Amino acid sequence: MRNYAIGIDIGTTSTKVVLFDEKGAAVAHHSKNYPLLSEEPGAAEQKPDEIYEAVNESLRETVRKSGDLAERIGFISFSTAMHSLIAVDSDGTPLTNSITWADIRSEPYVAAYKSDYGDEAVELYKRTGVPQHPMTPLFKLQWLKNDCPDIFQKAARFVGIKDYILFRWFGEWKTDHASAAATSLWNMHTKTWDEEALKLADVTPEKLPTLQPSTYYWEQLSDVLTKKSGLDSSVKVVIGATDGPLSNLGVGAISPGDVAVTIGTSGAIRTTSATPILDTDGRTFCYPLTENHWVSGGPVNNGGIAFQWIHDILQKDSDSAVHEKLSRDAEQIQPGAEGLVFLPYLTGERAPLWDAQAKASFIGLTLRHDHNHMVRAVLEGTILNLFSVYSLIKGQVADMEVKIFATGGFTNSPLWKQIVADIFQTKVSIPEHTESSCLGAVLLGRFAIGETKTLEEAPVETKQYEEITPNPDHKTIYEELFQLYQSLSETMQSQYKALHEFQNKHKKESGK
Ligand code: ADP
């Protein structure tokens, strides 16, 4: 019986391919890294053909490692990083690299749009569900048109990295609704390309891939793919969706009220709902997973990077400043770090501020505070920041029990996990499996081809969790601390521009 399936996740640092059995257990995998290129300030690009080869190699190797199990593979399904843009000519040959989400060269176009368009900018957000930011292809297209006009004119189409891989395999330009939504050119109400957004980007629908729901699939492999993968041609290929929404599915955060918290280097918080949830001021995203599953939330720049920063500073004084010790020592400090508050905006901030010039700060330092207070305040500050993003959508989440599912490097710290449970005052479940986006792709695939009736039907192996219970004694102090955090964050916002200018000016003068 063909009840095994492969999930492919085209990420920013690597492509991961995982073979799952019918119970959701990972039985074989392979991944391949590729570099992020930055040949000019603000650029963050990747070579499309390098990624195409990485996908082929990872798939072929996973199939090879599967041995006899390869005969039991029923389908392949996809996850991809969001917001990539590639200009291609009429043969499908790339005219640009893949311009990734991390590329910020379109920043001046975002700033100009926000100041020129006022209310219309809010209307655009309400139709597309994407905060206005240089990560989105809408603004990348404006940048390309003005800064690389020859390429813009010559381009036959503008596509994402997953669309490009699928074109190389099937010779068709197709994209799924979730990837389309991440461009800020897709209208979530009509589920078509948004006319006004297309005008702003100066493209027509013919210049974009055709739209498909995330459950669309090819009945069998193309000749190219049969040869590249080593699979037999009867395997189906599900178009799939994007990594954030699929990670929610992979960790089991798929019912209304479920919240997924990821803290790696950066972080994100995402909740699932049956209908779109939008913020009145356009500070959160809302992407589709299927017609009846929408994933809303926000990406934050400052997750594990903040802990890494303080770790590296303290490491200079002491050889033993490893993450585990720092986190254990900070447990001796009581919640609230005796009034030391850390605003974690070390690398500017996306949600909830959407201010690239924001700066981090310790506020409330006294002679009582030492490095352990500072570590605790850093860990608390990153979670308070995520909680402030969550508070933008909380009011619209159905009035039911909230469950948190947490993933990422931060789950190595018992204290940090407890802080999440305590600030949210809810149980935190940490899945024992990794590669949640690959697993999400496979679970979506099973639903797409009709193996499961609902997305909520998760196989047994995917339901193993470590559970952290909130400490009710910490509820009040964290409620108070959150009020203080919000008020301090708001107060500081008016200072970032001046601070930024001062830092830039003096950085140049000192030559650093
Ligand atoms: P990435 O997003 O780069 O894949 P990871 O999910 O691996 O990141 O998370 C990296 C972050 O995890 C680091 O920046 C650090 O803050 C945190 N981290 C790593 N090891 C530990 C540890 N032992 N205890 C607590 N936090 C850790």
Side-chain angles (χ1 to χ4, degrees):
M1 202 178 151
R2 287 188 175 267
N3 50 8
Y4 282 53
I6 284 181
I8 300 180
D9 180 31
I10 307 172
T12 311
T13 48
S14 66
T15 283
K16 288 147 241 151
V17 176
V18 184
L19 173 70
F20 293 95
D21 68 13
E22 75 277 25
K23 293 194 182 121
V27 291
H29 63 91
H30 192 85
S31 65
K32 173 95 179 160
N33 284 26
Y34 27 75
L36 201 57
L37 311 168
S38 188
E39 283 178 3
E40 61 178 27
E45 300 186 340
Q46 295 180 313
K47 292 198 180 305
D49 290 341
E50 202 168 345
I51 298 184
Y52 177 62
E53 293 310 331
V55 172
N56 284 325
E57 179 187 318
S58 305
L59 180 58
R60 194 170 52 242
E61 280 303 298
T62 304
V63 171
R64 191 184 60 76
K65 290 175 190 171
S66 315
D68 292 345
L69 293 174
E71 289 166 18
R72 297 180 59 185
I73 298 170
F75 67 89
I76 295 170
S77 181
F78 264 107
S79 161
T80 179
M82 291 184 238
H83 314 298
S84 59
L85 180 75
I86 310 170
V88 296
D89 70 11
S90 51
D91 298 329
T93 306
L95 301 171
T96 61
N97 279 331
S98 173
I99 308 171
T100 69
W101 63 270
D103 195 298
I104 53 166
R105 285 173 293 178
S106 67
E107 163 59 35
Y109 298 93
V110 178
Y113 176 73
K114 281 187 176 168
S115 77
D116 295 350
Y117 282 76
D119 288 351
E120 267 187 55
V122 177
E123 291 307 312
L124 176 70
Y125 165 76
K126 284 188 192 156
R127 296 196 308 277
T128 62
V130 192
Q132 280 122 29
H133 186 269
M135 68 190 178
T136 55
L138 164 56
F139 293 105
K140 287 174 178 157
L141 284 164
Q142 292 192 348
W143 168 80
L144 199 65
K145 183 182 167 190
N146 286 284
D147 291 42
C148 314
D150 294 349
I151 293 177
F152 188 83
Q153 289 311 327
K154 200 173 162 204
R157 274 181 208 264
F158 300 100
V159 303
I161 186 63
K162 183 171 83 171
D163 315 336
Y164 178 69
I165 307 293
L166 290 169
F167 173 78
R168 293 286 304 265
W169 283 351
F170 290 100
E172 299 165 17
W173 288 115
K174 287 189 161 62
T175 199
D176 66 277
H177 287 170
S179 301
T183 64
S184 197
L185 299 167
W186 184 79
N187 185 314
M188 62 164 63
H189 309 288
T190 60
K191 301 195 174 67
T192 58
W193 295 116
D194 185 82
E195 258 177 54
E196 290 301 313
L198 260 52
K199 266 189 219 153
L200 287 170
D202 197 15
V203 292
T204 55
E206 296 70 43
K207 291 210 156 186
L208 299 169
T210 57
L211 294 163
Q212 300 294 341
S214 57
T215 48
Y216 175 87
Y217 63 91
W218 284 265
E219 285 283 354
Q220 52 179 24
L221 304 188
S222 61
D223 291 346
V224 179
L225 184 49
T226 309
K227 229 178 263 155
K228 295 269 182 204
S229 65
L231 286 163
D232 72 72
S233 63
S234 60
V235 171
K236 299 178 173 63
V237 179
V238 182
I239 198 164
T242 51
D243 53 6
L246 283 172
S247 177
N248 268 50
L249 178 56
V251 299
I254 192 66
S255 303
D258 290 349
V259 176
V261 169
T262 306
I263 304 178
T265 304
S266 57
I269 183 156
R270 295 179 300 264
T271 188
T272 314
S273 54
T275 51
I277 294 178
L278 293 167
D279 172 48
T280 41
D281 295 322
R283 290 166 294 181
T284 52
F285 58 65
C286 180
Y287 299 126
L289 177 54
T290 68
E291 290 218 346
N292 304 316
H293 296 86
W294 296 80
V295 174
S296 316
V300 303
N301 289 354
N302 300 288
I305 200 168
F307 188 34
Q308 195 61 44
W309 167 77
I310 196 143
H311 167 275
D312 293 348
I313 289 178
L314 298 175
Q315 181 98 46
K316 289 196 178 121
D317 302 328
S318 150
D319 287 345
S320 61
V322 291
H323 293 101
E324 286 79 3
K325 181 170 187 316
L326 282 184
S327 151
R328 231 179 12 253
D329 289 352
E331 270 178 55
Q332 297 158 15
I333 307 298
Q334 65 192 56
E338 296 192 73
L340 181 61
V341 178
F342 181 67
L343 304 180
Y345 318 128
L346 288 164
T347 58
E349 192 49 287
R350 286 182 286 167
L353 307 184
W354 297 98
D355 182 356
Q357 300 184 340
K359 308 288 171 224
S361 40
F362 279 108
I363 304 177
L365 276 167
T366 68
L367 291 176
R368 289 178 66 79
H369 295 119
D370 65 15
H371 66 280
N372 288 332
H373 289 87
M374 294 171 85
V375 172
R376 177 144 201 148
V378 166
L379 302 185
E380 290 178 339
T382 56
I383 306 304
L384 290 165
N385 187 35
L386 279 171
F387 192 65
S388 72
V389 179
Y390 180 61
S391 69
L392 301 176
I393 45 180
K394 188 170 66 168
Q396 298 177 62
V397 174
D399 192 17
M400 54 185 59
E401 192 201 354
V402 171
K403 275 197 265 164
I404 307 251
F405 297 82
T407 54
F410 94 108
T411 56
N412 290 306
S413 158
L415 171 62
W416 216 348
K417 291 186 275 197
Q418 188 64 48
I419 291 172
V420 176
D422 290 354
I423 289 180
F424 283 80
Q425 276 298 307
T426 186
K427 194 176 72 184
V428 175
S429 303
I430 298 162
E432 293 190 348
H433 60 269
T434 54
E435 301 309 345
S436 53
S437 298
C438 278
L439 176 61
V442 162
L443 297 179
L444 175 67
R446 291 201 188 284
F447 174 67
I449 65 168
E451 275 182 22
T452 49
K453 293 258 171 326
T454 66
L455 269 192
E456 284 75 7
E457 274 174 55
V460 56
E461 287 292 330
T462 65
K463 289 189 189 157
Q464 311 296 325
Y465 298 101
E466 176 198 355
E467 302 215 310
I468 318 284
T469 317
N471 182 339
D473 296 342
H474 297 167
K475 182 172 189 280
T476 314
I477 187 158
Y478 277 129
E479 279 172 1
E480 273 179 53
L481 184 66
F482 181 61
Q483 296 305 323
L484 192 58
Y485 174 93
Q486 288 284 73
S487 146
L488 292 170
S489 176
E490 214 178 300
T491 305
M492 287 302 293
Q493 275 177 47
S494 60
Q495 306 301 319
Y496 293 141
K497 190 165 184 290
L499 253 175
H500 185 75
E501 282 167 6
F502 182 89
Q503 289 188 356
N504 264 355
K505 187 169 150 204
H506 293 283
K507 195 164 58 181
K508 274 186 201 133
E509 281 172 2
S510 69
K512 279 186 194 157

